[in-house]
């Protein structure tokens, strides 16, 4: 139970970073973002993603374009703004620092048990 809670909190903590990273590759539709997150085992529902996208847009990190669809209503496609790219760059650096710190702590733990 404790491990599951921690895993959930870790996934929630990196969700914004993952969404920005996915959008940084180019214009993308929300359902495609959800599909990518699910394939990475970051199970996300629309009720989680849409408020996150709205918050990122309101903070100036995203913009969107309405694109006509041949199979229904127009679709909203998201892209990063320049501010979003700057924030993503800072988050990339933080991720690298965290991954390094975790790697160091794991190798230290392995050394102590050997």
């Amino acid at each position: 139970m404790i491990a599951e809670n921690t895993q959930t909190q870790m996934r929630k903590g990196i969700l914004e970073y993952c969404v920005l990273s996915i959008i940084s590759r180019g214009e993308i539709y929300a359902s495609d973002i959800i599909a990518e997150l699910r394939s990475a085992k970051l199970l996300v529902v629309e009720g989680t993603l849409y408020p996150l996208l709205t918050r990122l847009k309101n903070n100036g990190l995203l913009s969107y374009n309405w694109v006509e669809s041949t199979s229904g209503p127009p679709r909203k496609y998201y892209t990063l703004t320049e501010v979003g790219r700057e924030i993503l760059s800072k988050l990339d650096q933080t991720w690298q620092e965290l991954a390094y710190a975790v790697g160091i702590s794991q190798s230290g733990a392995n050394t102590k048990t050997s």
Side-chain angles (χ1 to χ4, degrees), residues 37-76:
L37 292 169
R38 284 186 180 151
S39 72
K41 303 218 187 299
L42 290 169
L43 300 177
V44 174
V45 295
E46 290 178 3
T48 301
L49 182 63
Y50 284 108
L52 173 61
L53 291 171
T54 298
R55 188 173 75 247
L56 293 172
K57 186 212 168 282
N58 290 344
N59 288 332
L61 307 182
L62 301 180
S63 62
Y64 62 82
N65 238 352
W66 287 103
V67 177
E68 290 298 323
S69 171
T70 57
S71 61
R75 294 180 171 189
K76 192 184 286 188

Side-chain angles (χ1 to χ4, degrees), residues 1 6 8 12 20 30 32 40 42 59-60 79 83 88 95-97 99 102 110 112-113:
M1 182 71 167
T6 302
T8 298
K12 284 181 182 177
L20 289 172
D32 295 330
L42 290 169
N59 288 332
T79 56
V83 172
L88 178 59
W95 178 255
Q96 294 302 318
E97 291 166 358
V102 169
N110 290 338
K112 291 177 185 177
T113 59

Side-chain angles (χ1 to χ4, degrees), residues 17-26 28 32-33 36-37:
Y17 173 56
C18 292
V19 168
L20 289 172
S21 184
I22 290 167
I23 296 171
S24 74
R25 291 180 264 160
I28 190 165
D32 295 330
I33 296 170
E36 284 202 44
L37 292 169

